[in-house]
Amino acid sequence: MYLPPYHRLDDRDALFSLIDAHPLGTWVCQSAGGLIVNHIPFLLDRSQGPHGTLLGHVARANTVWHELHTATPCVIAFQGPQAYITPGWYPGKAEHGRVVPTWNYTVAHAHGVANVIEDRDRLLDQLNRLTHAHEARQAAPWHVADAPADFIDSLMRAIVCIEIPIHRLEGKLKASQDEAWADRVCTVNGLRAYPGEAAQAMADLVQNALDTHNRP
């Protein structure tokens, strides 16, 4: 990943929080036939390994678990808030006109080697943990045990567990850090005027980047 110093995101807790908040990872791995790309909801287990471990599962009908090279690293990209930034917000547009559009975003890239787990107990444990994590905000959370046991057993036979210990974690926060200070301030104001969670989340990130650096 192209990573200018001013866009580096090295805070591991911030990267973990990004993965928790945006768990649908773009998983890219190498096979004999070329690159394979899948989109998998992962659960981050912080307690496994120095950088955590990603837990997920795929359908048995998905050939990726047959084609994995056990010694070949893969990468999982997690996309956080992102937004188009118009130069129409910049004071610099009226002052000198030397401004162009850009795109702000934040991402986490987890690198590791995937392991295929077919143990039933570990798979069931993973399903329970994944469900608990995503049902926690529901008024009446659904549990795996709420479904008939034979139904769950039949579904479990159709999936395999994937575990990816994270060997390296890198992040990028592109939040207008390389723009003029006044343009950054007006970017926050412009984003605040837009409806929707994505624009507001990016406004928060640009504002946080301003707050953590002294004004020139």
Side-chain angles (χ1 to χ4, degrees), residues 24-42 58 62-65 67-68 73-78 164:
L24 184 66
T26 301
W27 174 29
V28 183
C29 55
Q30 180 72 46
S31 74
L35 294 176
I36 304 175
V37 182
N38 283 276
H39 303 276
I40 305 294
F42 285 99
V58 297
N62 185 337
T63 60
V64 64
W65 69 281
E67 300 181 60
L68 288 172
C74 59
V75 61
I76 307 91
F78 297 92
I164 307 175

Side-chain angles (χ1 to χ4, degrees), residues 23 25 27 40-44 54-56 76 78 130 134 162 164:
W27 174 29
I40 305 294
F42 285 99
L43 177 69
L44 173 64
L54 295 172
L55 310 177
I76 307 91
F78 297 92
L130 185 66
H134 294 294
I162 303 294
I164 307 175

Side-chain angles (χ1 to χ4, degrees), residues 30 57 70-71 118 137:
Q30 180 72 46
H57 60 272
T70 55
E118 295 191 74
R137 290 181 293 179

Side-chain angles (χ1 to χ4, degrees), residues 101-121:
T102 191
W103 207 288
N104 280 355
Y105 58 91
T106 180
V107 292
H109 287 184
H111 298 259
V113 176
N115 301 312
V116 176
I117 310 296
E118 295 191 74
D119 180 81
R120 183 189 183 282
D121 291 339

Side-chain angles (χ1 to χ4, degrees), residues 151-188:
F151 173 68
I152 295 298
D153 285 341
S154 67
L155 293 180
M156 287 178 58
R157 288 194 294 272
I159 60 176
V160 294
C161 179
I162 303 294
E163 293 188 359
I164 307 175
I166 300 174
H167 296 162
R168 178 165 60 94
L169 187 63
E170 61 180 355
K172 183 172 185 177
L173 172 62
K174 188 173 181 294
S176 300
Q177 300 99 318
D178 52 335
E179 305 295 342
W181 189 271
D183 292 346
R184 295 168 68 184
V185 172
C186 289
T187 293
V188 175

